[in-house]
Amino acid sequence: MTTPTVVLVHGAFADASSWSGVIAELQARDIPVIAPPNELRSLATDAAYLASVISQIDGPVVLVGHSYGGALIGIAGTADNVVGLVYVTAYVLDKGESLGELQGRFAATPLVANLKQWTYPAADGTAADEVTVVEDAFPSIFAADVSPGITKVLAVTQRPLTAAAFGEPATAAAWRTKPSWSLVAGADQAINPEVQRFGAERAGAKVTEVEGASHGVIVSQPELVADLIRQAVRATS
């Protein structure tokens, strides 16, 4: 029996270090794991990069996406060696559906009113827009159950997400053919828990709901997140 390699995909306003606690838990149980960078520049290009990483892994892969990373694993997860998908407080998009379209069906969270806009040079040389969470609002919106000392660091190390990503449609929905698991954060102030529940139910995912958990549950409760991932690994080994 082959143990799948776990590939952890971070979302917006974070980086791969946000998985540190989860990585330690998985490594302690000899589960192979990597956490590649996510450029947060475009749904299509971010998913293409993730697919390139997957294609260079020998053997089966379990993809884990946090937040915006969930949209990416739904696209890149169509690769033949992907055997399972784990969504952690994440978007679960259908083919042809955008982040904005899915979010628009449900009540807005405080995140929407607390985004700060920046500009960056796009590949074609024009100025493009990107967003981060307003620093003072970051703790309550992103990581209310994380210690203040850690949230102060997380707030100033955010990776911005290109604004165009909100309107970009997904080109695939791997959950239609791959088994999936989902962790719903009951106190999420970034992605409405109803958005998470809807996506998980539509995908037929095995759901774990954590009452009181924030969007940053991968930082505040890494053992719980790692346990859900281990469930997927065991089921697909």
Side-chain angles (χ1 to χ4, degrees), residues 28-100:
R29 289 159 178 79
D30 297 320
I31 296 173
V33 55
I34 63 171
N38 180 358
E39 293 298 321
L40 307 175
R41 296 294 78 168
S42 153
L43 201 61
T45 59
D46 294 341
Y49 178 79
L50 177 58
S52 75
V53 172
I54 296 166
S55 70
Q56 297 172 74
I57 296 175
D58 292 330
V61 168
V62 168
L63 282 180
V64 184
H66 175 243
S67 189
Y68 168 78
L72 303 184
I73 69 171
I75 300 171
T78 56
D80 290 341
N81 61 330
V82 173
V83 294
L85 308 167
V86 181
Y87 294 92
V88 182
T89 64
Y91 293 106
V92 186
L93 296 182
D94 201 354
K95 183 178 180 180
E97 188 174 60
S98 69
L99 300 175

Side-chain angles (χ1 to χ4, degrees), residues 18 66 138-155 212-222:
S18 60
H66 175 243
F138 185 92
S140 62
I141 290 174
F142 199 92
D145 54 355
V146 177
S147 69
I150 293 176
T151 56
K152 286 178 68 176
V153 174
L154 296 177
S214 77
H215 193 66
V217 67
I218 61 175
V219 178
S220 64
Q221 300 190 56

Side-chain angles (χ1 to χ4, degrees), residues 6 10 89 123:
V6 174
H10 70 82
T89 64

